[in-house]
């Protein structure tokens, strides 16, 4: 088995192991919740008047089947996996009888779009500024930029979101502060709708970018500063190689390899920040859906959102891992 085949086998094994452990842990944690979705649904449906006890019992049995709560814990676990494979999480308790998967699929594109643009911008901008600051260490503009970025690094995403909301929503109201698009515009590829999407997504994306750029800047600057003192960089400078070529070919490219690995490891944290950000801006994504499900005690919705999130993050990490050999030939050569 060559180097790349071994690398691929390891990554696929890691991918399926993460899915199995993560989803199994999600199932066990939701079982520890004090909320019984069956009893809560029965209480909701019988709160408007007296109901025949036999009808209530039949209702309870039907709801237990819908939520996959029949039998022992092990039987529920097996049933849970059999339903996940076909994408069936049952009906939502808070939006009964709408299937959980329908709610998730309606919210997922909003979260994917928000995360992609925020992650790409923060990763590219943070690494570029960090590499420049590590190579051109005496540049005052880069020093000031670094100080500003590092000042924002320890600030939680919800604090940044609230500050931006107050600044651009009330003090200087130039951007919308709630929703994903203008309510009276039907979804389409028209200029007005796309413009509305961009305007409504600016503040949530900016919150995630400002909250995430600092870590990329700090790590990239540290890597670039170490590489600058390596023998091959010093030799290139003595040989008269242009500073631009040294920066791009010798410093930035070598320092970028660990950052690509860091990108895969950071996806879970970025999603966690997106959950709070979506709630702050009432953005119609999966994060807001998850918080609503927790507040309403919606067992199926929380389970469905968490499971889909684990799968999405694991797939994204796998894709990044598979792209790694394109940058580092040592992986292909073994």
């Amino acid at each position: 088995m060559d180097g790349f085949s071994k690398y691929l086998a390891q990554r696929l094994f890691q991918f399926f192991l993460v899915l199995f452990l993560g989803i199994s842990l999600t199932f066990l944690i939701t079982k520890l919740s004090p909320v019984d979705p069956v009893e809560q649904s029965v209480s909701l449906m019988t709160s408007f008047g007296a109901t025949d006890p036999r009808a209530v019992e039949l209702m309870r049995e039907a709801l237990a089947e819908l939520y996959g709560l029949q039998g022992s814990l092990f039987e529920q676990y097996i049933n849970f996996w059999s339903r996940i494979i076909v994408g069936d999480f049952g009906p939502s308790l808070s939006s009964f009888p709408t299937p959980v998967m329908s709610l998730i699929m309606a919210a997922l594109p909003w979260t994917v779009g928000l995360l992609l643009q925020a992650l790409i911008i923060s990763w590219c901008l943070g690494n570029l500024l960090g590499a420049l600051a590590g190579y051109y260490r005496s540049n005052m503009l880069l020093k000031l930029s670094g100080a500003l970025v590092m000042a924002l690094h320890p600030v939680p995403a919800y604090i940044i979101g609230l500050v931006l909301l107050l600044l651009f929503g009330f003090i200087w109201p130039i951007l919308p502060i709630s929703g994903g698009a203008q309510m009276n515009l039907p979804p389409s590829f028209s200029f007005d709708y796309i413009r509305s999407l961009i305007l409504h997504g600016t503040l949530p994306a900016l919150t995630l970018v400002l909250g995430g750029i600092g870590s990329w800047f700090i790590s990239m600057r540290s890597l670039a500063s170490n590489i600058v003192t390596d023998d091959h960089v010093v030799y290139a400078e003595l040989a008269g190689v242009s500073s631009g070529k040294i920066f791009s070919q010798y410093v930035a490219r070598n320092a970028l390899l660990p950052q690509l690995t860091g990108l895969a490891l950071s996806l879970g944290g970025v999603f966690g920040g997106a959950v709070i950000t979506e709630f702050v801006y009432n953005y119609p994504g999966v994060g807001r859906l998850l918080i609503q499900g927790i507040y309403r005690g919606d067992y199926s919705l929380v389970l469905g959102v968490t499971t889909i999130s684990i799968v999405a993050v694991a797939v994204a990490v796998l894709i990044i891992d598979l792209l790694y050999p394109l940058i580092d030939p040592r992986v292909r050569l073994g």
Side-chain angles (χ1 to χ4, degrees):
M1 180 180 291
D2 59 21
F4 179 72
S5 299
K6 184 178 179 181
Y7 176 83
L8 178 61
Q10 291 174 344
R11 290 299 175 265
L12 287 176
F13 173 77
Q14 180 183 358
F15 170 72
F16 288 111
L17 181 62
V18 168
L19 286 184
F20 175 75
L21 294 178
I23 295 175
S24 298
L25 186 61
T26 299
F27 173 81
L28 293 176
I29 290 175
T30 52
K31 286 300 176 183
L32 297 176
S33 170
V35 177
D36 187 334
V38 173
E39 294 302 325
Q40 191 160 338
S41 298
V42 170
S43 299
L44 182 65
M45 294 179 182
T46 58
S47 60
F48 299 101
T51 307
D52 181 67
R54 178 57 183 166
V56 172
E57 185 61 29
L58 291 174
M59 183 190 306
R60 185 176 285 109
E61 293 176 1
L63 288 172
E65 182 178 358
L66 280 175
Y67 289 115
L69 300 176
Q70 292 178 321
S72 64
L73 183 63
F74 180 74
E75 291 173 336
Q76 293 179 29
Y77 179 69
I78 298 299
N79 184 37
F80 169 68
W81 273 105
S82 65
R83 296 173 69 161
I84 280 183
I85 293 175
V86 296
D88 178 19
F89 295 99
S92 168
L93 174 62
S94 56
S95 302
F96 192 87
T98 306
V100 166
M101 201 61 184
S102 299
L103 297 175
I104 294 176
M105 293 310 295
L108 191 60
W110 296 95
T111 297
V112 171
L114 177 63
L115 286 182
L116 279 180
Q117 62 177 325
L119 190 59
I120 290 173
I121 293 173
S122 61
W123 189 80
C124 293
L125 191 56
N127 283 321
L128 177 60
L129 290 176
L132 288 171
Y135 184 65
Y136 302 101
R137 286 171 287 185
S138 59
N139 188 288
M140 288 302 299
L141 182 60
L142 290 172
K143 287 183 178 180
L144 291 174
S145 301
L148 177 61
V149 166
M150 287 190 294
L152 289 172
H153 176 56
V155 181
Y158 64 89
I159 297 295
I160 297 176
L162 290 174
V163 170
L164 292 178
L165 189 148
L166 292 173
L167 180 60
F168 295 106
F170 297 97
I171 298 175
W172 190 25
I174 60 173
L175 291 171
I177 61 174
S178 178
Q182 191 172 325
M183 295 185 63
N184 60 349
L185 288 177
S188 65
F189 288 102
S190 64
F191 172 78
D192 290 338
Y193 186 73
I194 294 175
R195 177 177 175 273
S196 178
L197 285 178
I198 294 174
L199 289 177
H200 281 77
T202 298
L203 286 181
L206 185 59
T207 300
L208 294 176
V209 169
L210 293 178
I213 192 174
S215 59
W216 299 119
F217 176 88
I218 294 171
S219 57
M220 189 63 168
R221 186 183 63 176
S222 177
L223 290 168
S225 298
N226 292 330
I227 293 175
V228 164
T229 60
D230 286 350
D231 293 339
H232 67 284
V233 176
V234 175
Y235 179 79
E237 291 175 343
L238 294 175
V241 179
S242 66
S243 60
K245 186 173 182 179
I246 293 175
F247 170 75
S248 61
Q249 298 297 320
Y250 292 81
V251 178
R253 185 173 182 179
N254 288 326
L256 197 62
L257 297 176
Q259 294 297 84
L260 191 62
T261 303
L263 178 62
L265 296 175
S266 70
L267 288 174
V270 173
F271 177 78
V275 170
I276 304 299
T277 301
E278 288 181 359
F279 183 73
V280 169
Y281 292 106
N282 197 32
Y283 197 75
V286 174
R288 190 190 67 167
L289 201 64
L290 175 62
I291 293 180
Q292 288 178 346
I294 294 174
Y295 281 163
R296 297 171 182 175
D298 195 334
Y299 166 87
S300 298
L301 184 58
V302 173
L303 192 59
V305 170
T306 308
T307 301
I308 294 298
S309 301
I310 291 173
V311 173
V313 172
V315 169
V317 171
L318 178 64
I319 292 174
I320 293 174
D321 282 342
L322 295 182
L323 291 176
Y324 194 84
L326 300 178
I327 299 177
D328 190 354
R330 292 172 295 181
V331 176
R332 297 196 299 268
L333 298 175

